[in-house]
Amino acid sequence: MSESPKREQWASRIGLVLAMAGNAVGLGNFLRFPAQAAKNGGGAFLIPYIVAFIVLGLPLMWIEWTMGRFGGQYGHHSTPGIFDSMGRRKFWKYFGVFGLWANLIIAAYYLYIESWCMAYAGFSLMNGFAETAPKEFFAKLTGDTPNQIWAISTWGMIIFGVCIAINIGILSRGLAKGIEIVSKIGMPLLIVFAAILAIRGLMISPATDSHAVESPMVGLNFVWEPKFDSLTNPAVWLAAAGQIFFTLSIGMGSMHCYSSYLRKDDDVTLNGASGAWTNELCEVVLGGTILLPIAVAYLGLTKVQEMVAGGSGFGLGFMVFPKLFNYWGSFAPLAGFLWFGLLFFAAITSSLAMGQPIMAFLQDEFKFSREKSALAFGAMLLPLALPVAMLHSASFFDEFDYWAGTFSLVVMAVGEAVLFAWIYGVDRGWNEMMRGADLKVPRAFYWIMKYVTPTFLILILVTSIFKPQAGWEKYVASVTSGTEAPQWEWASDGMIGKLLHKDLPLKEGATPEEVAFNQTLKVVRTVDRGAMLAAFAGFAILVSIAWRKREAEGRNTP
């Protein structure tokens, strides 16, 4: 079969790398990574983190770049077609639906967070947090009220609508004139903003700042000082692997889409590694030098560890940082703007990557124009985004985040690792990856891709499904030490626990209002799960229609 012409191309190599890095660099680099490091022992976290980057992050980056470039040779720019071109069964194109569905569901709530960053940046620049508490501002922005299922804020909805419109407008301009230009502007600004804050944060001194309780170097040393006790703790290993996995935006289908616009012999090894290294620069060097050192300087290490015990860093970044910046005097408004501005650039370069695969699918299979596909993406997005913004965050928002933004990414990554190494074949996959390579990948990665990466992913998937409340480390300790294992109970943040609503416990002595809200929330969650299933079924139907058209036109992938 002759090679299908590509509708678009990246204008430059640097634009491609920055777009890929922007896809990977997101809010998690500056919020989740520092929180995970603090939760898992600081320097004790870095050793497993680096190992996971080598055996999980880099191999999956190369796998996704290679798969995308391969599928693009046959006119496929989204995962249903890319997976179908490499698989041997019809099943694979439907498995590739995850690469459309996850992007749509994640965009529905991710764009909402992105709109918060816009609002916080503007309010900070106006010095609004000098008088208004961040929690009060956040409540007005989201409309969230305890024990109330409806959460509507008129001006919060307006900012959300503006944010959606900005994304659709940029996407409608195409790869070179839209996504690439934003990446070339946004990524350098993000790095500059982060560097300014990191330098200013490290200048905090208890000797000259009466609000500081200790040196920021305490927080920095906590992140960077190696501690080898982590090597025997399975919980730290799983946390490190999970952070690497989610920080690189693996398992979404957006990386496949971006790389599908490469030419047949364009490099994927050096480009893929460059994107990964840029992400790690933003996460480990910049992310690790802002949140923890500044927070530790003003709050103390113990207090910060308590605040990020959940491992997200959201409360620290949105609820605490605006208050801490007030200690910087006249620089406070600009500091707040820089902090939330860099979060906005991190968010928008990621959210654009969520819309592109869906638009590419509509363009490839249904011959939509760029503008029409952008509007279609917006039309698909709104029915899911509106309940996210209008209902309590414990309903659509949290459910979308878990099922699409966490669990499904692992499922898809397991599938693509197996497809690449065992269905398509690691020999063919390796040869495809190395064609036109500007970076000679060590042969050891051949074996890592075949055995270690799939095994690691399956382990992450299994432990996220069958997750005990006490944590796996206590069960491992009971086996190694011969002590009695804890009583089994499903964890509230595991798949089965989520299905059983274990994350919605009622406190003893709950009020009638709390009981009613809990019951309403369970009903709403049933609705949002139905919406997610309907979205997946809708994409599967579109894939079925598209492939019947391909058969009728005689243009099936060989």
Side-chain angles (χ1 to χ4, degrees), residues 25-32 110 113-114 117 318 343-344 346-347:
V25 174
L27 299 173
N29 292 69
F30 299 95
L31 298 175
R32 192 177 190 272
Y110 200 85
I113 304 175
E114 192 175 304
C117 297
F318 279 81
L343 292 182
F344 173 76

Side-chain angles (χ1 to χ4, degrees), residues 24 38 43 53 72 117 389 428 431 439:
F53 176 71
C117 297
R428 295 172 65 194
N431 291 334
L439 173 68

Side-chain angles (χ1 to χ4, degrees), residues 68 72-73 107 110 114 128 146 159 169 233-234 275 298 333 353 445 455 465 484 507 519 521 533 535 548:
Q73 298 171 37
Y110 200 85
E114 192 175 304
I159 296 173
N233 189 341
Y298 289 117
F445 280 98
T455 302
I465 296 174
E484 184 178 353
K507 299 177 182 178
Q519 294 302 315
L521 197 54
L533 289 172
R548 286 202 299 270

Side-chain angles (χ1 to χ4, degrees), residues 41 68 98 103 121 229 231 268 288 292 398 406 450 497 505 545 549 555:
F98 276 108
N103 280 292
D229 56 339
L231 301 181
V268 297
L292 286 184
D398 284 357
T406 303
K450 186 171 184 178
I545 294 172
K549 286 180 59 181
R555 58 186 182 97

Side-chain angles (χ1 to χ4, degrees), residues 84-308:
D84 185 57
S85 67
M86 301 190 83
R88 299 173 182 172
R89 299 287 186 273
K90 294 180 179 180
F91 155 81
W92 286 107
K93 65 177 176 287
Y94 293 108
F95 187 82
V97 168
F98 276 108
L100 301 174
W101 175 83
N103 280 292
L104 180 65
I105 302 298
I106 295 172
Y109 73 85
Y110 200 85
L111 281 164
Y112 193 36
I113 304 175
E114 192 175 304
S115 71
W116 300 347
C117 297
M118 287 178 58
Y120 268 81
F123 197 66
S124 296
L125 195 59
M126 295 186 295
N127 203 25
F129 291 111
E131 297 182 359
T132 303
K135 288 186 178 180
E136 179 184 343
F137 178 78
F138 185 75
K140 290 180 180 179
L141 179 64
T142 62
D144 250 10
T145 305
N147 301 320
Q148 296 295 322
I149 194 65
W150 291 103
I152 301 176
S153 165
T154 302
W155 72 281
M157 294 283 288
I158 292 173
I159 296 173
F160 188 26
V162 170
C163 191
I164 292 174
I166 290 173
N167 276 262
I168 291 175
I170 294 170
L171 286 168
S172 69
R173 293 178 57 84
L175 288 179
K177 295 182 180 179
I179 295 173
E180 188 170 340
I181 288 177
V182 171
S183 299
K184 286 180 175 179
I185 296 172
M187 286 302 296
L189 281 177
L190 180 155
I191 293 172
V192 170
F193 286 6
I196 293 172
L197 288 172
I199 293 170
R200 176 61 182 86
L202 293 177
M203 292 170 63
I204 299 171
S205 171
T208 57
D209 189 335
S210 60
H211 299 97
V213 297
E214 54 190 345
S215 169
M217 299 308 295
V218 174
L220 193 64
N221 290 338
F222 177 70
V223 175
W224 284 99
E225 184 180 352
K227 297 178 182 178
F228 298 99
D229 56 339
S230 64
L231 301 181
T232 59
N233 189 341
V236 176
W237 282 92
L238 287 173
Q243 178 62 25
I244 283 293
F245 179 82
F246 295 117
T247 189
L248 293 174
S249 297
I250 293 164
M252 289 182 62
S254 51
M255 204 173 303
H256 303 81
C257 177
Y258 276 8
S259 59
S260 70
Y261 293 98
L262 292 170
R263 299 172 183 83
K264 182 177 180 179
D265 294 317
D266 281 351
D267 165 78
V268 297
T269 57
L270 182 57
N271 283 336
S274 299
W277 294 331
T278 303
N279 177 79
E280 293 309 299
L281 166 70
C282 292
E283 177 158 294
V284 179
V285 178
L286 297 177
T289 312
I290 299 175
L291 197 72
L292 286 184
I294 294 175
V296 167
Y298 289 117
L299 304 174
L301 181 59
T302 302
K303 180 66 174 178
V304 170
Q305 286 181 291
E306 292 173 357
M307 295 181 68
V308 298

